[in-house]
Amino acid sequence: MDLSTKLIHGGISEDPLTGAVSVPIYQTSTYRQKKLGQPGDFEYSRSGNPTRNALEELIADLEGGVKGFAFGSGLAAIHAVLSLFQPGDHLILGDDVYGGTFRLLEKVFKPLGLSYTMVDSQDLTQLEAALTAHTKALYIETPSNPLLKIIDLEKSAAWAKKNKLLTIVDNTFATPYLQQPLALGADIVLHSGTKYLGGHSDLVAGLVTTNKTDLAEKIGFNQNSIGGVLGPQDSWLLQRGIKTLAVRMEAHQKNAEMIAEFLINHPAVANVYYPGLAAHPGHEIAVKQMRGFGGMIAFELVDEGRVAEFVEALKIITLAESLGGVESLIEVPAVMTHASIPKEKREAAGIKDGLIRLSVGIEAVEDLKNDLEQALLIK
Ligand SMILES: *Cc1c(COP(=O)(O)O)cnc(C)c1O
């Protein structure tokens, strides 16, 4: 079955009780137990809720996992995954991971005894150099945030496996429609459901899945013990969003390809980072491991001093954090999403203060180009 069909019919796509084609919102915290000590399938909504369960089955189905888990945010999902590790454990981390992931590791897990090394994870020699006797996992994003670096998942996961490390992939930018890391050797895949999966900038959620039953058991234990679960209303909304993922992603990337071309040819724009461009260093790998190049673009202006003026002059494209919604959003990582990463670390990773990240929406591309054009020309 093609993924486009699975998005709509995968997991639990209808109500087994009534045949309703949309799984109902089970707005309940608890469930009647007919016999003492013998609860049914559902017992208490932190441990399980039918609406959340439908979403969890769906993400597992889409990514090829054995079980899925839904959380109140992407970071709550990442927290539950990083809680698999113990004091003394060491992780290898891609050097341009989401700023909040870095902050969670640096400010929450490091004081609890977890250590990590950030490397350019495109480079196997750097991975090799970061390896210690205590290294337990490789944690990567591809395409990465915000520079759209492409990491060869098959190669990285094989390297990790050889060194007895888990491979954890944040698949937020690609979504399972464009890329399925478990099939390429990863052990755990996670998402900020807030972005493309939700798709309408109207919810905050996180998803995790794995194809290993022992890991599923541990993540499930963490989900219930830490308790950062997604409520039934948002679970329903996220499942609804996922149904249209294929058409939205196709529209996002069609627009993004045209906007990337437009930016490259614009005299006020210096560098453009988009994996769909033949000149992008990760282009060949993207062709190999992705169905398309996605809807995210990063770029720099020739005149870095004009960044604020440019983003503030846009009328249709909205200056805001987040990405993956139907509306185009633009932001400056050094000031916004990646501000929690110290300047030296940011610059070492190639994230200049003037870098701009654009989440290309599904508006008419001419309107987006005109908006960019008028803002680039303002003096
Ligand atoms: C937004 C984002 C997160 C965090 O997700 P929240 O839903 O905001 O908690 C993690 N990883 C990536 C790549 C993101 O873009």
Side-chain angles (χ1 to χ4, degrees), residues 72-76 78 98 101 139 141 145 170 172-173 190-195 204-206 322-323 357:
S73 69
L75 275 173
I78 297 169
Y98 178 68
T101 304
Y139 184 108
E141 287 176 22
N145 181 13
D170 181 335
T172 300
F173 271 39
L190 56 89
H191 288 275
S192 169
T194 316
K195 314 295 169 53
V204 174
S322 201
L323 60 107
R357 187 188 77 181

Side-chain angles (χ1 to χ4, degrees), residues 159-239:
W159 174 84
K161 193 168 191 175
K162 188 183 81 193
N163 291 289
K164 300 193 165 52
L165 315 182
L166 293 179
T167 301
I168 304 168
V169 178
D170 181 335
N171 203 27
T172 300
F173 271 39
T175 81
Y177 180 67
L178 297 183
Q179 165 178 287
Q180 290 157 6
L182 296 180
L184 298 172
D187 302 289
I188 297 172
V189 170
L190 56 89
H191 288 275
S192 169
T194 316
K195 314 295 169 53
Y196 286 108
L197 296 180
H200 297 74
S201 303
D202 52 12
L203 65 91
V204 174
L207 295 171
V208 179
T209 185
T210 170
N211 54 2
K212 310 283 181 314
T213 42
D214 59 327
L215 286 173
E217 206 163 292
K218 288 178 189 166
I219 295 165
F221 177 85
N222 287 353
Q223 181 192 40
N224 188 41
S225 303
I226 302 171
V229 295
L230 191 63
Q233 184 93 36
D234 282 348
S235 295
W236 178 84
L237 201 50
L238 182 49
Q239 180 161 21

